[in-house]
Amino acid sequence: MRVTWHNYAVAALLACGLWLLGAENHPILPIGSAAPDFALPGVDGKIHKLADYAASPVLVVIFTCNHCPIAQMYEQRIERLYQDYRDKGVAVVAIQPNAPEALRIDELDSSDTSDTLEEMKIRVAFKHLTYPYLYDGETQATARAYGPQATPHVFVFDRDRRLRYEGRMDNSYRVEMVRTEDARNAIDAVLAGKQLAVTHTGVFGCSTKWKEKEASRLEALKKLEEKPVTLDLASADDLRQLRANPGHKLTLVSFWGARCVSCLQQFAGLQATYRMYSVRDFNLVTVATNPPDERALVEKLLEQQHATSRNLLFASGDTAPLQRAFDAEWDSAAPYTALIAPDGRILYRKVGPVNILELRRTILANMESEYAGFNRYWITGR
C-alpha cells in the first residue's frame, strides 16, 4: 500500500505519543507547584538560570524541539509570543528536552537536523529565531521536573513562580484553524490578576524522547545494519529510465567515483538522509561512474558505508554516452547530484559537493504532504 502523508502522519503522531501514552512515568508538574530550578546552556552560548527571569511578572516555559513537525509549526508562534509580550514584562523561554541518543534516525523524517545543541543553533539561524532556546538533552533533569509530555508543551508561572497553566499553545498546529489561544489567554489572565478559566489542556505533538528510549534506537539501528547491500550494472537505457523517474516517489540520484575524495566525503551524509526519509515517499539511487571491472572496489566502499539504497555501477567504461543518457548537459566529473520529482522535473541539481542541509530542505519542501504548511516551512528561512 502506498504510504500517503496522511497515513504516515497519523502513524507518526500515534508513535510520538499524541494521546500521552507513558505519561504516568513522567508526571506533569501539578498546578500550583513552584517552578523547578534550572541552569541550562542556550544557543547564545550562555547558561540560563531560573533566577535570571525573577523580575518578570510572568514566566512562560515552552518545551519544544527541532525534529518534530508539529513543533516546527509553532516556532514562529513562539517567536511572536516572545515579541508581543516582552514589553509587558513576560519572559518566554524555550527548552529542548529530548535526549538525541534516544531518537531513531527514521524519527527525523520531517527534519533537516536532530536535537543536539549545535543543531539547535543551526535551526535558530535558519528560521531567524530570537527567543531563548535552551538545551536539556544531556541530563533531562529539567524535563523530568516539569514533565513535558510532547513538543510543544507550555507552562505559565505567575510572579510568585507558581504554576497557573500548562498544556497546548492553541487548538491547532494548522494556523488557519486556530480558534482558541490557550497560552495567550492564560498569560493575559495572570497579568491581569484574574483566575484562569482553564488551567490544563491536552497537548499534541511528538512525545518527549527520554534517555531510556535509547535501546529502541539501537534496536532500529541493528535492523538497518542487517539490510543487504546490493550493486547492479546500469546501461544507458537504465539511466534514461532513472532520469524519467516513473512512479510516485521523489528520487535523489548521486553519481560518484570510488577514487573521488569529495564523493566519499558526502556519501555518509547522503545515506543518512536516505535513512531519515525512506519511511516516506523518497528514494536514493547511487551510481558509481567506475568501469565495471572495478566492481570489487565499488562493492567494498558500499559495504563500508552500509549503503542500503539502490546502488548502480556504469555498465561500460565508455562513460560519456552513459552520462548523456541521464543528462545531456552533464559533461563534468563526479560528484553529480540530482533530485527528481515523480513527474521528472529536476528540483535540485549540483555538480560538485552538495550542501547537505540545503539538499534536505529541498527534499522536505517537495515531499508529498496533505498539509501545505509542512512544505512551506522548508521553502524559506522565514
Side-chain angles (χ1 to χ4, degrees):
M1 181 181 73
R2 180 180 176 184
V3 179
T4 66
W5 172 249
H6 177 267
N7 292 335
Y8 165 75
V10 170
L13 288 173
L14 279 168
C16 285
L18 179 60
W19 288 280
L20 309 185
L21 297 178
E24 66 278 3
N25 296 323
H26 300 282
I28 304 170
L29 186 70
I31 294 297
S33 298
D37 199 7
F38 59 79
L40 297 171
V43 295
D44 58 1
K46 301 176 181 178
I47 298 296
H48 293 247
K49 301 179 181 179
L50 178 66
D52 296 339
Y53 307 98
S56 300
V58 177
L59 171 65
V60 182
V61 178
I62 304 174
F63 289 88
T64 188
C65 69
N66 283 0
H67 85 276
C68 175
I70 305 303
Q72 291 161 9
M73 295 299 99
Y74 279 92
E75 285 174 355
Q76 292 304 320
R77 275 175 258 189
I78 297 172
E79 179 68 23
R80 287 194 296 272
L81 188 75
Y82 173 70
Q83 297 294 345
D84 290 349
Y85 283 91
R86 62 187 307 178
D87 291 339
K88 299 179 181 179
V90 176
V92 176
V93 179
I95 299 176
Q96 197 295 102
N98 295 325
E101 66 269 25
L103 267 166
R104 299 193 317 271
I105 195 164
D106 62 311
E107 291 179 305
L108 305 180
D109 66 293
S110 298
S111 185
D112 57 342
T113 67
S114 186
D115 287 345
T116 67
L117 179 57
E118 291 306 310
E119 289 166 312
M120 289 162 57
K121 294 175 183 178
I122 292 172
R123 177 60 55 77
V124 163
F126 174 52
K127 302 304 288 187
H128 307 284
L129 305 174
T130 62
Y131 52 81
Y133 192 18
L134 317 184
Y135 179 66
D136 186 40
E138 183 174 353
T139 68
Q140 295 190 300
T142 302
R144 294 181 191 279
Y146 283 73
Q149 302 301 302
T151 49
H153 193 156
V154 182
F155 294 76
V156 177
F157 296 89
D158 61 20
R159 185 181 295 276
D160 297 325
R161 294 301 177 261
R162 295 291 172 176
L163 181 62
R164 301 289 299 280
Y165 168 83
E166 59 81 14
R168 65 191 188 185
M169 284 196 67
D170 53 43
N171 67 289
S172 179
Y173 66 89
R174 297 192 179 199
V175 65
E176 69 277 8
M177 297 176 65
V178 172
R179 300 292 180 267
T180 306
E181 300 266 12
D182 303 278
R184 285 177 177 257
N185 291 342
I187 295 168
D188 290 340
V190 174
L191 281 173
K194 298 179 180 179
Q195 291 296 317
L196 275 65
V198 177
T199 60
H200 163 81
T201 55
V203 292
F204 50 91
C206 299
S207 65
T208 305
K209 301 304 183 290
W210 304 104
K211 285 181 178 291
E212 48 265 40
K213 283 193 63 178
E214 184 177 6
S216 173
R217 181 188 66 83
L218 294 174
E219 180 63 27
L221 182 60
K222 180 181 177 182
K223 290 181 179 179
L224 282 172
E225 295 299 331
E226 291 172 350
K227 290 185 176 181
V229 175
T230 62
L231 180 64
D232 299 308
L233 294 177
S235 67
D237 285 342
D238 293 328
L239 294 172
R240 274 189 284 269
Q241 184 178 35
L242 181 62
R243 171 62 183 82
N245 196 27
H248 63 271
K249 292 189 176 184
L250 279 179
T251 299
L252 181 65
V253 183
S254 173
F255 289 86
W256 66 289
R259 295 180 179 83
C260 166
V261 174
S262 57
C263 298
L264 298 176
Q265 286 175 337
Q266 71 178 29
F267 204 95
L270 294 175
Q271 288 295 318
T273 301
Y274 173 62
R275 292 182 176 192
M276 289 164 69
Y277 305 146
S278 61
V279 293
R280 299 178 65 180
D281 286 335
F282 176 75
N283 273 333
L284 169 64
V285 182
T286 76
V287 186
T289 58
N290 299 72
D293 61 1
E294 296 184 358
R295 181 181 186 121
L297 173 61
V298 172
E299 288 179 328
K300 178 182 178 181
L301 293 172
L302 291 172
E303 287 288 351
Q304 288 176 352
Q305 295 286 345
H306 200 76
T308 55
S309 54
R310 181 188 177 196
N311 304 303
L312 303 176
L313 169 66
F314 274 1
S316 168
D318 186 6
T319 61
L322 296 171
Q323 288 179 260
R324 288 196 298 271
F326 185 83
D327 184 347
E329 298 179 5
W330 175 36
D331 59 2
S332 301
Y336 169 61
T337 308
L339 179 65
I340 312 173
D343 60 7
R345 287 178 298 120
I346 292 288
L347 302 171
Y348 176 98
R349 179 191 281 119
K350 177 69 174 179
V351 177
V354 301
N355 179 319
I356 198 69
L357 290 176
E358 178 184 63
L359 175 58
R360 287 175 181 173
R361 291 164 186 167
T362 303
I363 293 169
L364 290 165
N366 290 279
M367 197 81 76
E368 182 181 3
S369 171
E370 293 183 9
Y371 176 50
F374 291 127
N375 301 102
R376 285 195 301 267
Y377 177 88
W378 297 104
I379 292 172
T380 176
R382 280 289 182 185

